[in-house]
Amino acid sequence: MIIFRNLICLLFVFLGSFLQSQEIPPINVFTPQDYRAEDQNWSISHDDNNFIYVANNGGLLEYNGASWRVYKSPNDVILRTVKSVGDNIYTGGYMDFGYWQRNEYGELFYSSLVHENDLNMQEDEEIWGIITVEDFILFQSFERIYIYSTENKKFSIINSDLRINKIFEVNGMVYFQKRGVGLFKLENGKEYKFIDFEDINGIEVNNMFSFENDLVLISQERGFYKVRNKGLEKWSINADNIILNESIYSSIRLKDGSFLLGTISNGLINIDTNGNLVFSINREIGLSNNTVLSINEDSYGNVWLGLDNGINVINLNSPYRVFQDKLGILGTVYVTKKIGNTLYLGTNQGLFYRDFNRDKGFTFIKGTNGQVWSLEVIDGTFFCGHDKGTFIIEDNRSTLVSEEIGTWNIKQIENNPNLIITGNYKGLHVLEKTTKGWRKRNKIQGFDISSRYLEFTSPREILVSHEYKGIYRLIIDEEYRNVIKSSQISKLMGSKSGISQYNNDILYCNQDGVFKYNKVSFTFNRDSLFSSVLSGNQYLSGKLIYDSDDKRLWGFPKNEIVYIEPGKLTSNPKIEALPISSNIRKGKPGYDNLLYLDNKRYLIGTTVGYLIIDLAKFKKEEKEIFLNGVSYNSIRNESISLATNTSASLKTEENNLRFNYSVASYNALSSNKYQYRLLGIYDEWSKWSSSPEVVFENLPHGEYTFEARAITDGVTSKNRISYSFSIEKPWYIKPLALIIYVILAMVSIYLIHYLNKRYYKRQKETLLKKKAQELELEQLENQRQLIQFKNKNLQLDIENKNRELGMATMNLVKRNELLNNIKEELTRAQSTNDIKSVIKVINSSLNSTGDWKLFEEAFNNVDKDFMKRIKALHPAITPNDLRLCAYLRLNLSSKEIAPLLNISHKSVEVKRYRLRKKMGLEHDQSLSNYIIEL
């Protein structure tokens, strides 16, 4: 394990020493996949609006700051050169050259000067260069120079038997080189040789410039020369040791006077006016390709590079300089320190240093491999808080003075210069300075919570903040060995929160805002001024950094960096914001770090290196927003463009519109945001969005005005785009349709009136009919009730008759029983002669038919048809049988029937038997039930 650790340390030392440390301007990289064309880009130009045009193998590329557009050349050939002149974009390529103009839809269309003027180009001729002089456009191939007058639209041609390498314009003069002949210039449309081939000595001229009243040329492989007395004189510069080893393919002179040289194999070289190297950028440092085919400086000072594979933009005027650790040797930068001219970076890989004024690489400090948390200089001693403990760095060598792991921070104790307190993973510890140097003295007992953030409110009172547990107030004894009192004074907490000191105040920051400590009430109160920029949706990190050199407190919200400084004329603090979003700075949220360098320059550590910010170079420049295109979707879902310079009248179904807009800002570390509104339906401005287009779907008919504006680096655009259009009413609400609706309404009203009249007539008839039916039903109901009443009366009569019949029957039964009893008594009398007359009278009464007739009349009143039905069913029965049937109908027993018939019980049974036979009943069939059920 020890051997492995030593090997790791040696590897850090070896690689760290060779790590390039050049800070370069930000570079925006575009790949062929980004601009959707081929890899090689031979020439670059820009127009008055700072739109970029590139001659590519696949055609003409246009970039407006938001999107790329590719225009195929008419013959689908490679374009070698492009030049923007006024409203025209001139291009040249294989066997053709001409110009592009923008139509009313915002699109470019091509016109061939070769075809328009019937020019006969030589076999396989290609145009490689375009320059402008006064009212003339010059097109250069290897064989000819075509001079086109924009006034009279005519051409003159300069032919050459020898190859014309390039053509140059210097102070209104045109120069070119014929290989093997010399240098020429054009005067009055004719060529004149002013330097012979022998004087050139085989030099191939790459470009020519005016410099300090001299004509200076750049050769492809021999550096700079000055034209003197019709000859060339070598201009020796300090950068010769670099450029003489390179092959220069492209070059320009920048607005600041310096020279940019694009090489074939080693990227870009910048030489100042004194001949010193400013920077050299290649693929290892930041370019996407080492072969620079073309260079152009746009209106804002950005340098565009057309590469053999891709397009790069270098923001030379950017306030930022970038150092990227592409090899991953440094790791994520957590803390930085500058002591003298030495810059120290504390990372998750260890502690590194380099001389800040020289371009040497970073060197790893042996023994510090691992996580570095803090760097502090206290009384001339350089301390390093580390995951392994606490180190002292002296002469760039490390010494471990405390093995207590996890030293978050290091603070000097007021009025105790020999004591230092450290916040560690497990509480607080004290370092003591002795005659032998610094050593760990003790752990402060009574507090074991991780102490990443701690601040003194007095020499013996400390506030400790924990992200997830809150804020603790500690009272320490005089010897700094024990915590006398510990209390949680606030439950303020939150991810990435922290505390810091500013102007003798202790501030706590979390996502709810910034809170100021009240030393009297021991509470934290919200500060509205600081919280306005460091809370809510903007919150990303609660880390606050106070820089004593510039008296500024720095915060790190999501979309910017803010700093607070004392007001110059008032006591109120001043808040400034730098448009550096978290995506740009690429820091570690919660571990943000910032270092003041010099002259308003600051260093910010990132996950891939660091940024250097120069506040003096920040410019609040108002950019212009452009409307690039307006289109709508047809019924077939095809996108159809509209003229952008005039208002539009659209049909009802053409109500899905798309607007494209952009700002020609090309800074790699800035972003454009847009805001829009559609007057007539959405009168309020939308939220800021990074999208350079908006689509409105299913718009209703009406008059509309679309407006958009932009914000770049916190500055609103100097203009707003506006586009008016209208969507016609659908056919069903047009005037003719309304007239038809009126007619239809009138017809409908008449029809409704007629139908209502007819309806109500029918309703009346129906009601009358219904009323008649109701009257008829009422009459029927009355008749029914009358019949029911009569039936009820009849039923009562029947019941009365039944009662009378029953009473009569019972009276007959009782009478006959009585008479029979009397008869029996008389029969038992001894003297028959005396009672014969009585018996005779009784027999006469018993055999009397008058009672039967009375009974029969009452029985028929109750059950009229019985006698008829049974007689019809059984014609053989006799009147006596009918009498028996009547008694059986009344459900009388044989015993009850016997007195009525004046016969014995047995005689009744005999009669019943005979009656059964006459009726033909089965043996098991009941006679009584049969008669009752008839």
Side-chain angles (χ1 to χ4, degrees):
M1 180 61 70
I2 295 176
I3 295 175
F4 178 75
R5 186 181 303 169
N6 291 336
L7 288 174
I8 294 294
C9 292
L10 288 174
L11 180 64
F12 271 118
V13 172
F14 176 77
L15 292 177
S17 298
F18 288 94
L19 184 65
Q20 293 193 39
S21 59
Q22 185 178 0
E23 294 95 9
I24 62 173
I27 300 176
N28 209 351
V29 175
F30 298 102
T31 66
Q33 290 72 31
D34 294 327
Y35 52 76
R36 301 184 306 278
E38 296 188 23
D39 48 3
Q40 291 180 315
N41 300 281
W42 297 100
S43 178
I44 302 178
S45 184
H46 66 276
D47 64 10
D48 296 336
N49 294 328
N50 210 35
F51 283 22
I52 303 301
Y53 302 93
V54 183
N56 180 270
N57 281 2
L60 177 65
L61 309 183
E62 179 189 36
Y63 186 56
N64 55 31
S67 60
W68 289 92
R69 190 161 188 174
V70 182
Y71 295 94
K72 292 287 186 181
S73 56
N75 299 322
D76 200 20
V77 297
I78 296 173
L79 294 183
R80 299 292 187 181
T81 182
V82 60
K83 182 72 173 179
S84 174
V85 182
D87 294 333
N88 295 338
I89 311 299
Y90 292 91
T91 59
Y94 180 78
M95 297 295 292
D96 192 21
F97 58 88
Y99 59 93
W100 303 75
Q101 289 181 319
R102 199 174 301 278
N103 61 19
E104 58 183 353
Y105 305 111
E107 301 169 340
L108 295 177
F109 65 94
Y110 180 71
S111 299
S112 172
L113 289 173
V114 174
H115 297 158
E116 287 180 358
N117 294 273
D118 293 327
L119 298 177
N120 293 319
M121 299 185 70
Q122 296 186 11
E123 187 70 22
D124 294 333
E125 187 177 1
E126 286 186 283
I127 303 298
W128 284 88
I130 302 175
I131 63 172
T132 62
V133 179
E134 297 177 349
D135 295 326
F136 295 92
I137 311 295
L138 284 74
F139 301 87
Q140 169 256 322
S141 69
F142 290 154
E143 296 84 7
R144 290 176 175 178
I145 296 176
Y146 297 86
I147 304 174
Y148 174 65
S149 173
T150 58
E151 284 189 354
N152 57 30
K153 311 298 181 184
K154 292 184 178 181
F155 274 93
S156 60
I157 301 174
I158 297 177
N159 292 294
S160 175
D161 295 332
L162 299 173
R163 172 171 171 157
I164 302 174
N165 288 332
K166 288 189 176 181
I167 189 170
F168 320 105
E169 183 273 328
V170 181
N171 295 333
M173 294 294 294
V174 178
Y175 300 90
F176 58 93
Q177 179 185 16
K178 287 186 180 181
R179 179 174 291 181
V181 179
L183 282 175
F184 290 77
K185 64 180 178 179
L186 291 180
E187 291 183 355
N188 299 321
K190 295 184 179 180
E191 59 177 309
Y192 296 93
K193 182 169 65 174
F194 72 102
I195 298 180
D196 290 327
F197 173 73
E198 292 77 9
D199 295 324
I200 292 178
N201 194 23
I203 293 173
E204 185 167 332
V205 180
N206 180 270
N207 210 338
M208 299 179 70
F209 309 98
S210 175
F211 179 73
E212 296 179 351
N213 299 321
D214 286 325
L215 187 61
V216 175
L217 59 85
I218 300 175
S219 67
Q220 184 171 341
E221 296 179 346
R222 298 186 187 181
F224 287 84
Y225 286 83
K226 293 182 179 180
V227 177
R228 295 285 175 82
N229 300 322
K230 296 185 179 181
L232 297 181
E233 179 182 302
K234 179 70 174 73
W235 180 28
S236 298
I237 59 176
N238 294 331
D240 276 346
N241 61 328
I242 296 175
I243 62 176
L244 293 179
N245 295 320
E246 303 294 341
S247 180
I248 309 301
Y249 188 86
S250 56
S251 59
I252 64 168
R253 191 177 183 193
L254 300 176
K255 296 171 186 177
D256 63 5
S258 65
F259 302 93
L260 273 182
L261 312 179
T263 70
I264 290 179
S265 60
N266 200 26
L268 190 69
I269 300 171
N270 186 206
I271 308 295
D272 65 16
T273 55
N274 295 320
N276 298 314
L277 177 68
V278 179
F279 63 77
S280 175
I281 305 176
N282 54 28
R283 192 170 186 271
E284 184 179 348
I285 296 177
L287 295 185
S288 59
N289 187 268
N290 276 335
T291 302
V292 182
L293 300 178
S294 54
I295 308 174
N296 177 263
E297 183 182 17
D298 68 18
S299 304
Y300 299 124
N302 300 305
V303 173
W304 291 78
L305 305 180
L307 306 177
D308 192 58
N309 187 3
I311 299 170
N312 289 179
V313 188
I314 302 177
N315 307 135
L316 287 183
N317 292 335
S318 171
Y320 307 108
R321 289 297 180 266
V322 181
F323 169 76
Q324 283 193 335
D325 172 27
K326 289 196 170 184
L327 298 178
I329 302 300
L330 295 180
T332 299
V333 177
Y334 280 78
V335 61
T336 57
K337 200 73 176 177
K338 185 171 179 283
I339 302 175
N341 293 326
T342 305
L343 174 65
Y344 293 90
L345 302 182
T347 76
N348 63 325
Q349 306 278 17
L351 184 60
F352 298 81
Y353 74 95
R354 78 171 179 90
D355 189 333
F356 192 67
N357 294 329
R358 302 175 66 182
D359 286 339
K360 287 187 176 180
F362 280 96
T363 301
F364 173 71
I365 295 180
K366 186 178 179 181
T368 64
N369 53 299
Q371 179 69 59
V372 176
W373 292 121
S374 60
L375 297 173
E376 295 290 342
V377 176
I378 300 177
D379 289 340
T381 303
F382 185 20
F383 291 90
C384 172
H386 198 280
D387 177 69
K388 295 178 180 178
T390 306
F391 289 88
I392 288 179
I393 309 299
E394 188 174 5
D395 295 331
N396 296 323
R397 291 194 296 268
S398 65
T399 302
L400 185 64
V401 295
S402 172
E403 295 183 352
E404 184 63 37
I405 64 170
T407 302
W408 288 113
N409 53 65
I410 304 168
K411 298 281 185 180
Q412 187 174 20
I413 300 176
E414 186 178 352
N415 301 325
N416 283 278
N418 294 327
L419 294 181
I420 289 175
I421 193 169
T422 63
N424 293 76
Y425 295 164
K426 293 291 184 179
L428 305 173
H429 297 77
V430 176
L431 301 183
E432 182 182 29
K433 185 178 183 181
T434 66
T435 56
K436 294 182 179 180
W438 289 92
R439 66 175 183 86
K440 176 185 174 183
R441 195 189 75 172
N442 65 277
K443 180 185 187 301
I444 297 179
Q445 300 297 325
F447 189 77
D448 294 325
I449 294 176
S450 178
S451 304
R452 180 182 169 197
Y453 291 102
L454 66 91
E455 294 292 342
F456 281 94
T457 60
S458 69
R460 292 174 49 218
E461 181 180 332
I462 302 175
L463 296 183
V464 177
S465 171
H466 190 284
E467 283 184 87
Y468 306 108
K469 295 183 179 180
I471 302 173
Y472 296 85
R473 176 173 173 260
L474 308 179
I475 306 297
I476 314 296
D477 65 5
E478 293 183 356
E479 295 296 324
Y480 294 94
R481 293 184 181 274
N482 296 285
V483 174
I484 297 175
K485 183 179 179 181
S486 171
S487 60
Q488 186 178 14
I489 63 171
S490 174
K491 292 186 178 181
L492 289 171
M493 61 186 70
S495 176
K496 304 175 181 64
S497 59
I499 58 175
S500 178
Q501 278 205 7
Y502 174 67
N503 284 350
N504 297 320
D505 288 322
I506 294 179
L507 303 177
Y508 172 85
C509 181
N510 68 0
Q511 62 185 4
D512 295 323
V514 179
F515 301 81
K516 188 178 295 185
Y517 181 61
N518 187 318
K519 297 181 181 180
V520 177
S521 62
F522 309 130
T523 59
F524 281 87
N525 301 314
R526 194 172 190 270
D527 186 285
S528 58
L529 179 64
F530 292 173
S531 298
S532 64
V533 292
L534 292 170
S535 63
N537 294 330
Q538 290 297 315
Y539 178 81
L540 181 66
S541 171
K543 181 76 174 287
L544 301 176
I545 299 176
Y546 175 66
D547 188 81
S548 58
D549 293 327
D550 59 3
K551 303 296 187 295
R552 287 173 174 154
L553 180 69
W554 294 80
F556 303 88
K558 187 179 298 181
N559 293 322
E560 56 195 1
I561 294 178
V562 299
Y563 65 84
I564 302 165
E565 61 182 355
K568 295 180 180 180
L569 300 178
T570 66
S571 59
N572 296 326
K574 178 184 177 183
I575 299 179
E576 293 287 345
L578 303 178
I580 311 172
S581 69
S582 57
N583 294 331
I584 293 173
R585 58 183 185 257
K586 297 179 181 178
K588 182 80 172 176
Y591 296 91
D592 311 271
N593 56 92
L594 180 140
L595 174 67
Y596 177 74
L597 297 174
D598 54 36
N599 300 325
K600 294 187 176 182
R601 293 197 308 154
Y602 295 85
L603 184 147
I604 297 178
T606 70
T607 56
V608 291
Y610 58 81
L611 287 176
I612 293 179
I613 306 171
D614 190 347
L615 295 185
K617 288 187 176 181
F618 267 95
K619 297 178 181 178
K620 292 188 176 181
E621 187 176 9
E622 294 180 341
K623 300 293 179 67
E624 186 176 359
I625 183 173
F626 298 95
L627 179 62
N628 300 320
V630 182
S631 61
Y632 69 88
N633 287 340
S634 66
I635 298 177
R636 298 179 180 178
N637 205 26
E638 297 175 347
S639 180
I640 299 177
S641 298
L642 296 172
T644 58
N645 54 2
T646 58
S647 59
S649 297
L650 303 174
K651 296 179 180 179
T652 306
E653 62 274 12
E654 299 169 350
N655 61 345
N656 297 325
L657 277 78
R658 181 187 301 271
F659 296 88
N660 297 91
Y661 36 82
S662 67
V663 172
S665 176
Y666 308 115
N667 294 327
L669 298 185
S670 67
S671 60
N672 301 317
K673 290 188 176 181
Y674 306 92
Q675 200 176 41
Y676 62 85
R677 64 182 178 182
L678 186 60
L679 299 177
I681 186 170
Y682 307 119
D683 295 341
E684 298 297 326
W685 287 101
S686 68
K687 293 181 179 180
W688 290 106
S689 169
S690 58
S691 175
E693 69 174 18
V694 63
V695 177
F696 298 99
E697 296 181 339
N698 299 321
L699 290 174
H701 67 88
E703 301 286 335
Y704 299 98
T705 299
F706 173 78
E707 291 183 346
R709 60 189 180 186
I711 186 169
T712 303
D713 293 337
V715 182
T716 305
S717 57
K718 61 184 178 183
N719 70 314
R720 66 176 62 168
I721 55 176
S722 177
Y723 183 84
S724 298
F725 64 96
S726 63
I727 298 176
E728 68 179 17
K729 296 179 180 179
W731 63 267
Y732 49 82
I733 58 175
K734 288 184 177 180
L736 179 60
L738 295 178
I739 293 173
I740 295 174
Y741 295 154
V742 171
I743 295 173
L744 290 176
M746 294 176 66
V747 172
S748 299
I749 292 172
Y750 173 77
L751 287 175
I752 291 172
H753 174 72
Y754 171 76
L755 293 175
N756 280 341
K757 186 176 180 181
R758 183 178 177 185
Y759 170 76
Y760 285 117
K761 183 178 180 182
R762 289 183 177 179
Q763 284 290 96
K764 184 177 180 181
E765 292 175 353
T766 303
L767 287 174
L768 291 174
K769 186 177 180 181
K770 184 177 181 182
K771 194 65 177 177
Q773 289 177 348
E774 289 177 354
L775 290 173
E776 185 178 353
L777 289 174
E778 187 175 353
Q779 291 177 356
L780 291 174
E781 178 65 19
N782 292 334
Q783 292 177 2
R784 185 187 67 79
Q785 291 179 357
L786 181 60
I787 292 171
Q788 186 177 5
F789 179 73
K790 289 181 178 180
N791 289 338
K792 188 173 182 180
N793 289 335
L794 289 174
Q795 184 66 31
L796 290 174
D797 290 342
I798 292 172
E799 290 177 356
N800 291 330
K801 295 293 183 179
N802 285 333
R803 282 194 297 271
E804 291 176 358
L805 177 63
M807 291 176 64
T809 304
M810 293 306 298
N811 288 332
L812 289 174
V813 172
K814 294 296 182 181
R815 191 201 67 174
N816 288 347
E817 286 179 351
L818 177 61
L819 291 175
N820 284 325
N821 289 333
I822 295 172
K823 179 181 176 180
E824 289 177 0
E825 291 293 330
L826 292 175
T827 304
R828 286 193 296 268
Q830 294 179 357
S831 178
T832 60
N833 292 326
D834 296 333
I835 59 174
K836 282 182 179 181
S837 59
V838 177
I839 293 171
K840 186 177 178 180
V841 173
I842 292 171
N843 286 333
S844 175
S845 178
L846 289 172
N847 295 323
S848 176
T849 61
D851 292 335
W852 163 248
K853 290 181 179 180
L854 180 62
F855 174 82
E856 184 179 16
E857 183 180 354
F859 182 85
N860 286 331
N861 287 333
V862 176
D863 199 350
K864 293 181 180 181
D865 298 328
F866 175 72
M867 294 296 185
K868 293 179 180 180
R869 288 200 305 272
I870 198 167
K871 187 68 175 174
L873 291 173
H874 306 286
I877 62 176
T878 65
N880 286 333
D881 293 332
L882 288 175
R883 192 174 178 182
L884 177 60
C885 288
Y887 294 146
L888 290 174
R889 179 80 169 177
L890 294 176
N891 200 20
L892 298 179
S893 62
S894 297
K895 185 177 179 181
E896 292 171 331
I897 295 172
L900 295 175
L901 296 178
N902 197 22
I903 59 177
S904 65
H905 177 267
K906 290 183 179 180
S907 298
V908 174
E909 291 296 330
V910 172
K911 279 183 174 291
R912 289 173 66 115
Y913 174 75
R914 290 173 180 171
L915 182 61
R916 287 175 61 88
K917 291 189 69 175
K918 289 178 181 181
M919 289 183 177
L921 297 180
E922 297 292 334
H923 176 73
D924 56 349
Q925 193 172 2
S926 172
L927 176 64
S928 297
N929 290 340
Y930 173 74
I931 292 174
I932 291 172
E933 291 173 357
L934 283 177

